[in-house]
Each structure stands twice: as C-alpha cells, then as structure tokens.
Amino acid sequence: MTDRILVAEDEPRIASFVKKGLSGAGFHVTVVPDGPGVRDHALTGGFDLLVLDIGLPGMDGFDVLRRLRASGSTIPVIILTARDSVHDTVAGLTGGADDYMAKPFQFEELLARVRLRLDRARPSPSPELLAHRGLELDPRTRHVTLDGRTVELSAREFALAETFLRHPGQVLSREQLLRLVWGPDAGSSSNVVDVYVRYLRRKLGPDRIATVRGAGYRLEPG
C-alpha cells in the first residue's frame, strides 16, 4: 500500500518541488497551504506522515503541531522551515515533531528522512504462527495446538518443535539440532536429541518427524 504524505506548504514553488519529488519516489502526496486546513486533513487519520512548514497562514506550524498532539494524533511530523535558529529547532522537537530540517534543503536528504520516519512508525511484525499438518505453534505465546487441541510441551520440546517447523523437509543433523536448540555449549552428545525427538513423537504423532539414517531427522513436508 502506498504511503500517503501530507505536505503543509504555502509557497507554491517549494510545494510543487516537494510534491513532484515525493510523488516520483512512489508516495501519494497531498499539499495543503494553510494551517487550519493542515490540521483538519491530518486529523482525518488518512495520512502516514506530515511535512510541516512553520510559517503557514491562518495558524502557524507550531500551533498546528500542538493541536495535533493534544488531540492524540501520532502522525510522524518533519518540520521543514526557513526558521533555523536553535530556539525554533528546540521548540519544534519538544512540541512533538519527529524531525526538523531548515530551508534551503537537498531533496535527497528530505526523502531519506521521510523514509526513515515511515519505517520507524510502522509496527514491528509479531512472530508468525508456524503451522504444519494440523500442528500450530505460536512463538509469541508458546501455545501449541494439534488439530485444534492444546498440547503441552516443555520449553525444550517447544524449541525443538519450532526448529523443525522453521526447516520443513530439511534434514537436520543431530549436531545442528544440538547447536540450534541447546546452544553452542551443549557438548557433542547426540543422545539428548534422540530422547527429545521421541518425546515429540509421543505428543505430536509418530510419523511427523522422520529418521534419515546416518544423517539426522527431517520434518516430513507432506
């Protein structure tokens, strides 16, 4: 989905320059030239980032920013302004801006900051649900179900099952499993792997994990 950027700028030449550059970079850009209009557009929740000029007619950018944050809006804001004093920079950042750029500016730098702020604003992906032939593991909650029925696994059994589900159809040697599940200091004994594979077979079914003679174990893909 294309990110939507709101540009608050009353100088037509700069507004056109920024819109053309951001549109060319693949963003959907809306330009609004006055403070009240910027506030109203931003509060719709339909934008992913705001590039905000301070010297706007009707309501300056600092006031727009204060009203947005007071309303609970968390839209990332990059201030882009001719005011480059330390006082103005501090006022913008403490007022809730995420970044501050002084005019004149290089578009490449603005684009880099826009992308950075959008990336930081995106929620971190939660661990995916791992599934295999009716078996489901949730790495976040460590909940396991088999054909809809909850299965209780110990921490080590869960780690071993998760390792198999992340490598379906791949032959994993006992040494690999020791390193992945028990850690690099687990030693060289492979008997513990055999023991825990037996535990998993009892709980998850005898035909799910195949023994590959002389090589290790494999989670059957079919």
Side-chain angles (χ1 to χ4, degrees):
M1 183 177 178
T2 303
D3 288 308
R4 297 174 57 89
I5 298 179
L6 178 62
V7 175
E9 177 58 65
D10 65 326
E11 171 55 52
R13 181 181 59 83
I14 297 176
S16 176
F17 171 69
V18 173
K19 181 175 183 178
K20 181 179 179 180
L22 291 176
S23 297
F27 299 108
H28 183 89
V29 182
T30 299
V31 176
V32 179
D34 62 277
V38 172
R39 175 202 58 201
D40 293 344
H41 275 72
L43 287 176
T44 65
F47 296 91
D48 301 293
L49 183 139
L50 168 61
V51 177
L52 177 64
D53 183 35
I54 295 301
L56 296 171
M59 181 189 302
D60 75 15
F62 288 136
D63 198 15
V64 170
L65 184 57
R66 281 192 295 268
R67 297 189 183 204
L68 289 178
R69 295 309 188 223
S71 72
S73 173
T74 60
I75 183 173
V77 175
I78 299 175
I79 289 179
L80 186 61
T81 180
R83 303 184 192 181
D84 60 355
S85 71
V86 172
H87 173 76
D88 286 327
T89 303
V90 171
L93 295 175
T94 58
D98 298 275
D99 211 339
Y100 195 106
M101 288 186 65
K103 301 174 184 177
F105 61 93
Q106 294 293 320
F107 177 75
E108 290 76 12
E109 181 181 357
L110 173 62
L111 179 59
R113 295 190 186 209
V114 165
R115 286 173 169 160
L116 175 63
R117 295 301 161 187
L118 288 170
D119 286 344
R120 289 183 176 179
R122 291 188 179 96
S124 300
S126 58
E128 72 277 17
L129 188 70
L130 301 174
H132 176 265
R133 293 169 51 200
L135 174 65
E136 292 188 350
L137 275 73
D138 187 334
R140 180 177 56 87
T141 63
R142 305 185 72 81
H143 186 246
V144 182
T145 60
L146 179 61
D147 297 327
R149 175 179 54 85
T150 297
V151 178
E152 297 294 337
L153 296 183
S154 70
R156 196 71 72 184
E157 289 169 348
F158 185 96
L160 182 58
E162 181 180 357
T163 299
F164 278 122
L165 263 70
R166 291 190 184 278
H167 303 84
Q170 179 180 338
V171 177
L172 298 172
S173 70
R174 291 171 174 82
E175 291 73 21
Q176 284 177 297
L177 291 169
L178 271 173
R179 185 177 69 255
L180 292 170
V181 177
W182 280 265
D185 301 322
S188 58
S189 172
S190 61
N191 181 62
V192 67
V193 175
D194 300 332
V195 170
Y196 274 85
V197 166
R198 286 200 298 272
Y199 291 163
L200 284 184
R201 284 171 171 164
R202 290 173 188 167
K203 294 184 176 181
L204 305 180
D207 61 347
R208 191 176 298 273
I209 301 171
T211 300
V212 181
R213 188 176 298 276
Y217 294 102
R218 179 184 63 222
L219 183 69
E220 296 286 38

